[in-house]
Amino acid sequence: MGASTHTVTNQAPPLTGYDVFATDAALTEGVARHAAPGRLAEVRAELGELGRAAGSAQAQEWGAQANDQPPVLRTHDRYGHRIDEVEFHPAWHRLLRKAVSSGLTDAWPRPDGHLRRTAGFLVWTQTDAGHGCPVSMTHAAVPALRTDPELAAEWEPRLTSRIYVPDLLPTAEKPGALLGMGMTEKQGGSDVRANTTRAEPLAAAGEYVLTGHKWFCSAPMSDGFLVLAQAPGGLTCFLLPRVLPDGTRNTFRIQRLKDKLGNRSNASVEVEFDGTTWARRVGEEGRGVATIIGMVAATRLDCVTGAAAVMRQAVAQAVHHTAYRSAFGGPLIDKPLMRNVLADLALESEAATTVALRLAAAYDAAADTEGGEAERQLLRLAVPAAKYWVTKRCTPLAAEALECLGGNGYVEESGMPRLLRESPLNSIWEGSGNIQALDVLRALQREPAALDAFLTELGRARGADHRLDGAIKDMLTELADLSGIEARARRLVERMALALQGSLLVRFAPPEVADAFCASRLGRDWGGAFGTLPHTLDLASIVDRARVQV
């Protein structure tokens, strides 16, 4: 006769069955702040539907399944024919279908399009970050394709479609399509001008064949890829379709899948082009970097947003766990030291969300040909600065949030290890930290209007907090001395990003949030780890603001 040996008590229930959008105060307030008043109800309804789907047990299970059963490479079919296909778990397709049907590849033609999409991307990628890769690249490809009106007319309606069709078919037969990107090569990495892939022109205007390789190419089952190759006129951008107009497969030899630290649900591959790979030129020969730079800028914003999504989910899980877990006579969330840790994490998450939404709103405003120039100039500095700092903060935050769950957090079932493995990716993707810092220096040296726009943005909060004013003064002092500036670039960009975050929080966040951020990040009343905020701050209100109420 069996006997029960124990009863499970003092364990937090799963964080499921909630609205990921509506329970995120920083996100909902930011959307309300930036959306056109006449469209706010529509935007909220759209994001609320997506938020409820993201918080469902079903969607969370899809995310776990897609990561637990990662993609598989099939180079040949059973008869020996080369097929170069990657098989994904059905959960991956379900996640991707929901992302596409929710408009996460469709920002460019819509009012408040970038704001809606950025908020939606932050919400939905909390289920799984991997499938966000093709979503991001498809969305970001639009400005590059617009350099060629004929290509844009053919591809843009499909890229902005809300129909997901996973089958490999000629583009003309698909109501919706996805695009990937292949820039880096073995010998070059971020130095794309070192690329050796050759593009040889064919008789038909704008058509080429490629010979070479790409060291990293993600989402290889996309319908096409923007790639860089050396044409007779120099480094050039090309559109490489997976299936040719006659229905035959383009030459796209997948050599192997990358065995990555995280982002396991998404396939990243090494691919070879053998001289029969057909491609169409995008933009002018020799203008490859200039052509594709619009895509890179948009995906860099998604790096900020993706990092903010990881941070928000990590904080939500940590606060939820500590609200239900008791130790030493009471709930962990009420313990002063744990409250300090949680408040510090919540500050970092809110600052990341706030700056991501501000950048998205700037993209929407920049589309206005009449008055958008200042916002375009702001983006030139703010995007790489935010990309540098927000993505850098993601990994230590994920690690600290995991620790809030103790041993439970170190177990795969909690989901926290997946967040930790994912956390470094956005710092590397689309240019690592040094690349972002150097890009900021390049903009400072070549585009003085960008600095004017950045300082104007900071100036909107001038006088509201003496610590913010001091941080801006220190930043300007750093800028005044350009000797040895490259070695100091990270220090400068960090100060710029913190000043931007601080100015936004001072203007828009609750006083307790702005006060804590300025005291710690700008006033330097802070230790070397999370959980070292000044004890005199209103930490309980900050933690309560970050909590998911279910």
Side-chain angles (χ1 to χ4, degrees):
M1 179 176 176
S4 176
T5 58
H6 70 282
T7 301
V8 176
T9 61
N10 199 26
Q11 290 283 348
L15 181 54
T16 59
Y18 73 106
D19 185 333
V20 173
F21 171 69
T23 56
D24 186 340
L27 182 58
T28 55
E29 291 170 14
V31 167
R33 178 165 59 247
H34 294 299
R39 291 189 288 267
L40 181 56
E42 174 192 337
V43 174
R44 279 177 170 159
E46 183 179 301
L47 292 171
E49 188 279 327
L50 187 61
R52 290 185 292 275
S56 69
Q58 179 66 84
Q60 293 182 27
E61 179 64 18
W62 289 344
Q65 289 174 342
N67 280 270
D68 291 343
Q69 302 179 63
V72 176
L73 173 61
R74 308 293 186 197
T75 57
H76 296 77
D77 67 14
R78 59 181 291 194
Y79 304 106
H81 301 120
R82 187 88 192 218
I83 57 172
D84 294 288
E85 294 185 1
V86 177
E87 294 179 359
F88 293 86
H89 189 272
W92 160 272
H93 294 292
R94 294 182 183 114
L95 291 164
L96 198 47
R97 181 172 286 107
K98 181 63 177 178
V100 172
S101 68
S102 299
L104 300 190
T105 60
D106 173 25
W108 305 100
R110 294 193 293 164
D112 291 324
H114 290 279
L115 178 67
R116 297 183 195 213
R117 185 195 165 274
T118 295
F121 193 78
L122 198 156
V123 165
W124 187 245
T125 52
Q126 289 184 54
T127 63
D128 163 66
H131 81 282
C133 178
V135 171
S136 177
M137 291 188 296
T138 299
H139 151 70
V142 170
L145 290 176
R146 284 180 175 174
T147 61
D148 187 315
E150 183 180 343
L151 279 177
E154 177 184 343
W155 281 83
E156 188 171 337
R158 294 173 174 85
L159 300 182
T160 57
S161 167
R162 297 198 175 195
I163 301 173
Y164 173 58
V165 182
D167 305 306
L168 285 178
L169 298 168
T171 310
E173 298 178 18
K174 298 191 70 168
L178 298 177
L179 270 191
M181 178 171 57
M183 291 202 294
T184 60
E185 297 184 3
K186 299 182 184 75
Q187 73 290 338
S190 296
D191 184 8
V192 295
R193 295 192 182 279
N195 284 8
T196 60
T197 296
R198 302 190 315 275
E200 300 173 12
L202 297 171
E207 297 184 7
Y208 294 70
V209 291
L210 306 184
T211 305
H213 76 281
K214 294 298 169 185
W215 189 231
F216 273 94
C217 184
S218 288
M221 294 305 286
S222 297
D223 298 285
F225 299 86
L226 291 179
V227 301
L228 294 176
Q230 300 287 356
L235 192 64
T236 303
C237 182
F238 295 92
L239 174 59
L240 187 161
R242 280 289 265 125
V243 180
L244 300 175
D246 64 3
T248 59
R249 300 284 181 91
N250 205 356
T251 305
F252 190 84
R253 304 297 191 214
I254 300 175
Q255 303 303 304
R256 61 173 175 166
L257 296 178
K258 297 288 193 180
D259 187 7
K260 297 174 294 184
L261 168 67
N263 207 244
R264 306 289 291 185
S265 69
N266 179 42
S268 297
V269 303
E270 297 169 21
V271 62
E272 297 282 341
F273 313 136
D274 71 354
T276 61
T277 303
W278 181 84
R280 294 168 66 178
R281 190 183 70 237
V282 183
E284 301 174 17
E285 276 197 8
R287 297 279 298 166
V289 173
T291 299
I292 211 166
I293 199 66
M295 183 178 192
V296 172
T299 49
R300 283 179 176 175
L301 173 55
D302 277 358
C303 290
V304 176
T305 307
V310 170
M311 293 164 119
R312 171 56 190 166
Q313 183 58 208
V315 170
Q317 293 290 345
V319 175
H320 176 77
H321 175 87
T322 56
Y324 285 93
R325 182 79 164 178
S326 293
F328 308 111
L332 282 172
I333 197 171
D334 293 336
K335 304 299 180 183
L337 192 52
M338 178 60 80
R339 183 186 299 147
N340 197 314
V341 172
L342 295 171
D344 214 351
L345 296 174
L347 282 178
E348 200 70 49
S349 174
E350 178 152 353
T353 295
T354 301
V355 77
L357 294 178
R358 175 64 184 95
L359 296 178
Y363 264 100
D364 284 325
D368 183 353
T369 54
E370 295 285 329
E373 182 58 27
E375 295 292 85
R376 284 191 287 274
Q377 292 295 340
L378 172 65
L379 289 167
R380 180 64 188 90
L381 273 178
V383 169
K387 200 275 192 188
Y388 170 83
W389 182 242
V390 172
T391 62
K392 279 276 180 281
R393 299 300 295 155
C394 189
T395 299
L397 182 144
E400 193 70 58
L402 181 154
E403 188 175 325
C404 291
L405 277 67
N408 288 330
Y410 205 68
V411 174
E412 288 291 340
E413 289 174 323
S414 72
M416 301 302 283
R418 175 152 59 100
L419 291 176
L420 182 58
R421 287 193 298 270
E422 191 68 34
S423 61
L425 175 64
N426 286 296
S427 185
I428 299 168
W429 192 36
E430 298 302 1
S432 59
N434 284 356
I435 295 298
Q436 305 309 310
L438 293 172
D439 196 29
V440 168
L441 294 189
R442 192 158 40 246
L444 288 171
Q445 293 164 348
R446 299 179 184 177
E447 303 174 53
L451 180 58
D452 290 343
F454 190 83
L455 293 177
T456 298
E457 179 69 17
L458 299 186
R460 294 191 171 102
R462 182 171 292 127
D465 188 286
H466 70 278
R467 294 157 300 192
L468 173 60
D469 291 344
I472 295 173
K473 181 180 178 181
D474 290 344
M475 182 196 76
L476 291 173
T477 300
E478 194 86 29
L479 279 168
D481 178 13
L482 296 181
S483 61
I485 189 66
E486 182 173 327
R488 294 185 285 113
R490 284 190 173 215
R491 178 187 178 94
L492 170 62
V493 174
E494 176 180 325
R495 285 183 164 176
M496 293 175 67
L498 285 168
L500 178 59
Q501 288 182 322
S503 70
L504 292 171
L505 294 178
V506 163
R507 291 166 61 197
F508 302 125
E512 62 271 16
V513 172
D515 183 32
F517 186 91
C518 289
S520 55
R521 276 72 170 169
L522 304 180
R524 307 298 177 182
D525 190 359
W526 200 26
F530 284 107
T532 55
L533 294 172
H535 71 279
T536 54
L537 298 170
D538 184 1
L539 303 183
S541 295
I542 298 171
V543 175
D544 188 61
R545 176 175 169 81
R547 183 177 176 182
V548 173
Q549 302 288 347
V550 292

